[in-house]
Amino acid sequence: MRYITIALAKGRLAKQTMKILGELGIKCEEMEDPSSRKLIFTDEEHGLRFFLAKANDVPTYVEYGAADIGIVGKDTIVEEGRKLYEVLDLKLGKCRMCVAGPASAKELLDNGSLIRVATKYPNIAKDYFHNKKHQTVEIIKLNGSIELAPIVGLSEVIVDIVETGSTLRENGLLVLEEVCPLSARVVVNQVSMKMEQERIGKLIEDMRSVITRE
Ligand code: PRP
């Protein structure tokens, strides 16, 4: 039997996903060993293979079919814009993509000023400002600690993930606009979906039953 390969975004999401799979009897003890540097793990009994990848790379592995299934945040799926099927909302890691900044930036957003927007998500920010709001802005790509940008004067606002809101609060920033709600999703390669319809379909339905039970 051919393995079904599942790419997991490294970190908390991978651990929470393994918990869901654990309830289905799918276990991968090897993956739980913190000292291991191994990247790929198998569950022979269920014909499954797992690997951990950087979140941004998960949609790439799935689009090319190197993984049949991927588990990754909606933010990454939208930002990467890969060709795949999004089949299930795991309702994990719920948060929001927002435009944030100091209270004084509200006016700049309302009157459509030419502002600078710092973000780790340039495609999401571009789509929001250009296509949805029809506001011309300059997008500045950063790789982390985005909240710094308006504080040090790199940009007027940011587009970033807000979960509890404490990072914004502790840095004197506010949510100014909401772009979209986010959570972890299951994505499937378009060819695998046809070729392995039965096995993949069953796995997804089983995962759905675990999350609706909780
Ligand atoms: C994310 C996000 C915010 C923070 C939001 O950053 O970019 O900075 O979490 O969470 P909160 O609303 O609960 O405070 P992350 O910790 O992933 O690191 P990063 O700054 O390197 O992107």
Side-chain angles (χ1 to χ4, degrees):
M1 188 167 57
R2 176 186 171 272
Y3 284 116
I4 297 282
T5 302
I6 304 177
L8 303 166
K10 263 199 257 206
R12 197 155 51 126
L13 179 55
K15 292 200 183 92
Q16 291 172 319
T17 305
M18 290 314 292
K19 242 177 94 185
I20 294 179
L21 294 172
E23 295 199 29
L24 298 170
I26 299 165
K27 288 222 165 59
C28 219
E29 272 124 27
E30 284 179 300
M31 201 189 268
E32 284 154 27
D33 175 3
S35 62
S36 168
R37 303 289 296 163
K38 234 177 122 171
L39 295 171
I40 191 149
F41 310 91
T42 52
D43 174 333
E44 299 292 345
E45 191 190 329
H46 296 90
L48 297 174
R49 195 160 72 139
F50 299 91
F51 64 82
L52 298 169
K54 264 284 255 213
N56 287 8
D57 296 336
V58 168
T60 312
Y61 284 108
V62 176
E63 185 189 79
Y64 284 92
D68 301 291
I69 297 175
I71 294 174
V72 66
K74 177 75 176 171
D75 51 326
T76 308
I77 297 169
V78 179
E79 181 63 26
E80 294 298 316
R82 295 279 175 183
K83 277 197 232 90
L84 10 104
Y85 294 133
E86 187 186 311
V87 295
L88 181 63
D89 183 348
L90 288 176
K91 312 253 165 81
L92 297 172
K94 280 195 191 170
C95 52
R96 301 178 292 158
M97 185 66 74
C98 294
V99 180
S104 59
K106 180 89 188 109
E107 204 187 316
L108 303 173
L109 289 171
D110 291 344
N111 61 26
S113 306
L114 176 58
I115 50 171
R116 286 176 297 187
V117 180
T119 187
K120 209 153 73 170
Y121 301 91
N123 294 328
I124 294 177
K126 213 175 292 163
D127 180 64
Y128 179 72
F129 280 101
H130 295 175
N131 300 335
K132 210 156 154 198
K133 294 200 66 191
H134 306 292
Q135 180 173 356
T136 307
V137 297
E138 185 181 342
I139 311 269
I140 301 172
K141 165 87 198 297
L142 290 179
N143 297 298
S145 302
I146 314 299
E147 291 82 359
L148 264 177
I151 300 173
V152 299
L154 176 64
S155 70
E156 282 73 33
V157 298
I158 61 174
V159 166
D160 199 17
I161 290 174
V162 179
E163 192 178 353
T164 61
S166 57
T167 312
L168 290 180
R169 240 180 345 264
E170 286 178 30
N171 290 289
L173 305 173
L174 304 168
V175 170
L176 301 171
E177 290 174 4
E178 186 172 323
V179 178
C180 60
L182 303 169
S183 56
R185 309 293 160 97
V186 180
V187 293
V188 179
N189 171 271
Q190 296 187 338
V191 176
S192 306
M193 195 65 158
K194 290 191 190 79
M195 305 299 285
E196 294 285 356
Q197 202 177 18
E198 208 167 306
R199 291 170 72 201
I200 292 177
K202 175 161 187 334
L203 183 61
I204 287 156
E205 283 323 305
D206 288 349
M207 290 177 86
R208 192 195 305 279
S209 69
V210 173
I211 59 170
T212 49
R213 199 164 66 210
E214 277 170 359

